[in-house]
Amino acid sequence: MQDNATEVTAAGIARLAGVGRAAVSNWRRRHADFPRPVGGTETSPAFALAEVEEWLRRHRKLAEVPLKERVWQQLAGHPDGPVTALVHAGCALLLIHDRPPVWLDISSGTDERLAALLPTALDEVLTPRVPGTARPGRTDRSRVNGQNPVNTQPAATPVTPATPATPATQATPATPPTPALAIPTAPRLLPSVPLLRGVAELAADRGARPTFEFLLGRHLDANPRQYTLTPPDLAGLMAALVGTPATVLDPSCGTGALLRAVADRPDRRLHAQDSSPELAALTALRLALHTRAPVHAAAGDTLRADAYPGLRADAVLCHPPFNERNWGHDDLAYDPRWEYGFPARTESELAWVQHALARLRDGGTAVLLMPPAVASRRSGRRIRADLLRRGALRAVVALPAGAAPPYSVPLHLWVLRRPDRTHAQPELLLVDAGRFTAEGRGGPDWPGVRETVLDAWGAFDRDGGVEERPGVARSVPVIELLDDDVDLTPARRLPPPTDTDGAGRLADVRARLDETLRLTAELAPPPAEPVPSAASGRLPLTTVGELARAGALVMRTGGHGGRARVPVLTDHDVLAGTAPSGTLPESEEEPVLTEPGDVVLPVLGGGAVARVVDDAIAGAVLGRNLVLLRPDPAALDAWFLAGFLRGTANHRQASSYASTATRLDVRRLQLPRLAPDEQRRYGERFHALDAFERALREAGRLGEQLVRGMYDGLTDGTIAPD
């Protein structure tokens, strides 16, 4: 049964129909029977999803709404908000995953019956899987305080740590932590029942776990500014550095990426906390779907209101918030966690470091993602010095730029160990993986980063030192670091990389540049010949939308997820003419794969660009903000199509403009109606122009490489000035 209360925006309608938002605006103006808004605002109206689906079918603009899109639109348009809907969906998926017969039984009747029976069924599943889950019938504090319905937390209940230990005395928090999950009551569940039935249908095809990952990934992708994500490759590296711990804590869990990376053994005990109640709830459900291990999860400010004061974990993994001024400096001056010094107001990251050490057993390991400034700021030098003297800080790893947000900054990993003995001559491992930065926006060379970092850490952890690798790794005696600055930036402490053949490499670059410049001159187009005025009549035009309806081409839009480790063609790759460099959130969503002869266009930014897919990029996944046109070779020449779609005037008339962005409605792009032979004539000329453009780009890249190499060689003494 379709939920008439579910709303959808113009952007959601465009996704359902595979068109741009401009097309939806046109439908509203041209069709008197288009559904009327039922909510939203004047500038961003919302429509009833059921009415929109019916209208699209009636006008033959949509044969059938795909199940995954219908479920997503139900979730996105939920009357209580998408996060509440996602939590309810996750609870139902966990029940489907663990006890499918129970779900089949309670879902076989009316919506009211399902809503009435579901809380009890969820209690039986969630209570053992997520210890501390608040049960129905207790005080709903969020209703009293008027908070978002997702924060349906009861009065605080103690969270039992997995590993007993002597509790630490701690400042009394003003707001105590609460359980991450509260089992929703029947009245809260009733509006979600149509969504839950759709989710169950989707899970029957995909599985419960992939279904939740798909919905969570789509939600995160739709709200990129609200969440700071830890990329899967980075999470995997951090998990590998702590080995195989039995008890793991993430005190700033976010979406649970770090704990998910270690949740592959049923005997592990996982502890999570986040200041955002919605993230704590989503993490608890995500982990419960990925592991049989118990998941202890709490919502609350970790530094002010630690949910696990007595925990002594084997490992702590943490991607803390960066550069926080309001972290509790004024409230926590006498907190016993500051064994290595009271952090300055500007050193919130060093507060997280000491919290992680305080929650470790003796000999336990912590890995934290840190901004590079923490390694050198003068306000933190006393704490850094004490961490070194006592052997708590064991390694600092400089990651390549693009490893995690903010992608322009090369972040650091700090590896810490709670001292269980005194080191006679302590040393610090410094690793610089900056050389694995990849060109474009596809992120670093993760296999190279992983091998370099784990090899260095493994040798250092086993032998107490590593063989020096200039520019890459070195174990530095602590005494060398205890100067006035206590600067732990790896690049400043490592010997420069040796380059015995710098001049030879530059000679090779120069030879390639000469050859490319010669080729560029050969490919330069001949002088332009004007068309005689008598022959310059306007050609009859058609649009991409008309060609799509006639079957002359197929139009596809880029996805929001796909299979792991498949290269993704991004809008940046299309604009720059480079190889696929992107990644998408891992999900079971079927990706759009490029084929030779496809034409790909970016829809944001206003650039008049269209790229024909060749063998080098065929098979890549179509990324976000891209549209793919697959012409029928019998009706359309690919180069003819791409060439005319690049016209500046063509793009201008097909674009819509917002205050900060330009969006292209690909269906409105025009091209002339020409016979196949005439298309091929144009196509050959456009193909030649594309080859000339590629040669110019390659010449520019080689020129920049030659200039930079010459500067570096002259300044570091590997190249003579004469």
Side-chain angles (χ1 to χ4, degrees):
M1 184 179 91
Q2 178 63 56
D3 181 12
N4 291 321
T6 300
E7 299 176 2
V8 61
T9 63
I13 298 173
R15 179 183 296 280
L16 288 171
V19 299
R21 291 187 62 179
V24 178
S25 299
N26 287 337
W27 293 343
R28 292 185 64 196
R29 289 194 299 268
R30 291 166 49 194
H31 297 276
D33 63 337
F34 193 87
R36 300 298 180 190
V38 297
T41 64
E42 184 176 348
T43 57
S44 181
F47 307 83
L49 177 60
E51 295 178 6
V52 169
E53 290 182 13
E54 176 60 29
W55 188 89
L56 291 173
R57 291 193 188 95
R58 191 167 64 248
H59 287 262
R60 297 183 179 179
K61 299 183 183 298
L62 186 66
E64 182 62 45
V65 178
L67 175 60
K68 64 179 183 180
E69 291 298 336
R70 186 169 72 248
V71 170
W72 165 249
Q73 294 300 341
Q74 287 177 316
L75 187 147
H78 194 281
D80 288 335
V83 176
T84 296
L86 194 53
V87 170
H88 291 179
C91 290
L93 286 168
L94 186 60
L95 176 62
I96 293 168
H97 182 270
D98 282 11
R99 302 185 181 183
V102 175
W103 169 262
L104 292 175
D105 176 47
I106 66 175
S107 64
S108 60
T110 64
D111 288 357
E112 290 73 13
R113 178 178 182 270
L114 174 56
L117 296 178
L118 190 53
T120 301
L122 291 178
D123 188 11
E124 295 175 355
V125 171
L126 284 171
T127 301
R129 297 295 303 281
V130 186
T133 296
R135 296 179 175 180
R138 295 189 181 181
T139 303
D140 189 348
R141 197 173 62 195
S142 66
R143 277 187 175 272
V144 175
N145 296 337
Q147 299 171 358
N148 187 294
V150 73
N151 304 337
T152 53
Q153 310 296 346
T157 55
V159 180
T160 305
T163 304
T166 304
T169 304
Q170 190 170 334
T172 302
T175 304
T178 61
L181 283 174
I183 297 173
T185 60
R188 288 283 179 88
L189 284 169
L190 187 57
S192 299
V193 168
L195 166 67
L196 301 186
R197 293 191 187 278
V199 165
E201 187 180 350
L202 194 59
D205 179 48
R206 292 169 170 248
R209 182 186 306 166
T211 296
F212 187 75
E213 288 296 319
F214 161 70
L215 295 173
L216 176 62
R218 181 70 71 87
H219 173 69
L220 297 176
D221 189 70
N223 302 275
R225 297 183 181 181
Q226 295 183 23
Y227 306 101
T228 300
L229 306 181
T230 307
D233 289 303
L234 176 58
L237 173 61
M238 294 173 68
L241 285 168
V242 300
T244 57
T247 305
V248 188
L249 166 69
D250 184 347
S252 179
C253 62
T255 59
L258 291 175
L259 290 177
R260 182 189 173 198
V262 297
D264 55 351
R265 275 176 37 185
D267 57 341
R268 292 218 167 120
R269 295 181 294 279
L270 306 178
H271 294 73
Q273 184 172 352
D274 199 276
S275 59
S276 167
E278 63 183 48
L279 287 179
L282 294 176
T283 291
L285 290 168
R286 189 182 195 188
L287 294 174
L289 281 164
H290 275 84
T291 178
R292 301 298 304 182
V295 178
H296 301 264
D301 185 330
T302 295
L303 295 181
R304 287 189 175 94
D306 182 14
Y308 311 106
L311 179 65
R312 294 297 177 264
D314 298 312
V316 174
L317 294 170
C318 187
H319 178 172
F322 296 163
N323 304 316
E324 276 199 335
R325 295 300 181 97
N326 186 28
W327 58 268
H329 178 271
D330 296 337
D331 306 325
L332 303 173
Y334 301 102
D335 196 289
R337 288 173 291 182
W338 316 141
E339 295 181 47
Y340 303 88
F342 181 40
R345 189 183 303 276
T346 57
E347 295 287 353
S348 63
E349 296 87 1
L350 291 179
W352 285 98
V353 163
Q354 295 191 74
H355 173 80
L357 286 167
R359 295 296 158 263
L360 286 173
R361 64 166 175 79
D362 290 347
T365 303
V367 179
L368 284 82
L369 184 66
M370 307 287 275
V374 183
S376 58
R377 281 195 297 243
R378 290 189 60 81
S379 55
R381 66 187 186 277
R382 294 183 182 277
I383 294 178
R384 292 196 300 271
D386 207 29
L387 289 169
L388 291 173
R389 289 191 192 98
R390 296 171 61 180
L393 181 58
R394 306 301 294 138
V396 176
V397 177
L399 297 169
Y407 290 107
S408 59
V409 178
L411 301 175
H412 288 180
L413 290 179
W414 281 28
V415 184
L416 303 113
R417 182 160 288 162
R418 184 169 181 83
D420 57 353
R421 58 187 175 84
T422 302
H423 292 265
Q425 293 181 328
E427 294 190 346
L428 177 71
L429 173 66
L430 297 177
V431 181
D432 189 350
R435 66 193 182 106
F436 295 104
T437 301
E439 295 184 4
R441 299 192 304 183
D445 172 14
W446 279 111
V449 173
R450 186 180 177 93
E451 180 181 2
T452 298
V453 173
L454 294 182
D455 283 354
W457 171 249
F460 179 81
D461 193 35
R462 180 181 62 252
D463 305 328
V466 296
E467 183 179 349
E468 183 177 292
R469 296 178 59 189
V472 178
R474 177 191 174 202
S475 54
V476 184
V478 165
I479 193 64
E480 289 186 22
L481 302 169
L482 296 177
D483 52 20
D484 290 340
D485 296 322
V486 197
D487 190 340
L488 308 182
T489 306
R492 295 173 185 157
R493 301 288 184 173
L494 294 173
T498 57
D499 191 352
T500 58
D501 193 28
R505 287 190 303 102
L506 291 180
D508 178 63
V509 172
R510 176 56 189 268
R512 290 163 56 200
L513 177 60
D514 289 342
E515 176 62 23
T516 303
L517 290 173
R518 182 191 62 77
L519 178 63
T520 304
E522 293 179 358
L523 292 173
E529 295 290 340
V531 176
S533 57
S536 60
R538 185 174 178 82
L539 296 171
L541 299 176
T542 186
T543 66
V544 169
E546 291 172 350
L547 291 171
R549 285 192 291 272
L553 58 81
V554 175
M555 181 173 169
R556 303 290 300 276
T557 57
H560 291 255
R563 307 183 187 101
R565 305 189 183 281
V566 178
V568 176
L569 185 69
T570 69
D571 53 347
H572 180 270
D573 301 329
V574 175
L575 292 168
T578 55
S581 64
T583 58
L584 284 175
E586 182 179 349
S587 77
E588 293 300 312
E589 181 176 355
E590 190 65 28
V592 179
L593 301 180
T594 58
E595 297 179 2
D598 290 343
V599 178
V600 180
L601 302 90
V603 297
L604 295 180
V609 176
R611 183 172 178 182
V612 178
V613 175
D614 55 18
D615 291 335
I617 60 174
V621 174
L622 189 70
R624 293 168 289 187
N625 301 322
L626 290 176
V627 170
L628 178 146
L629 304 178
R630 183 163 294 159
D632 179 356
L636 280 174
D637 179 82
W639 286 103
F640 161 78
L641 174 64
F644 272 97
L645 297 187
R646 287 192 61 169
T648 302
N650 200 4
H651 267 246
R652 189 180 301 120
Q653 65 84 26
S655 295
S656 58
Y657 303 93
S659 58
T660 58
T662 302
R663 186 173 186 89
L664 179 68
D665 184 354
V666 176
R667 289 178 176 268
R668 293 174 55 188
L669 288 170
Q670 300 173 338
L671 63 157
R673 299 178 184 270
L674 295 178
D677 290 343
E678 192 69 9
Q679 288 185 31
R680 282 189 285 272
R681 283 185 57 212
Y682 276 99
E684 289 171 0
R685 188 65 179 270
F686 288 138
H687 196 172
L689 284 174
D690 180 78
F692 176 61
E693 184 179 38
R694 289 171 183 260
L696 284 175
R697 283 201 184 106
E698 181 64 15
R701 293 191 189 103
L702 291 171
E704 291 178 2
Q705 188 177 347
L706 179 62
V707 170
R708 173 50 52 198
M710 289 295 296
Y711 271 110
D712 290 345
L714 288 168
T715 55
D716 64 22
T718 59
I719 296 177
D722 47 358

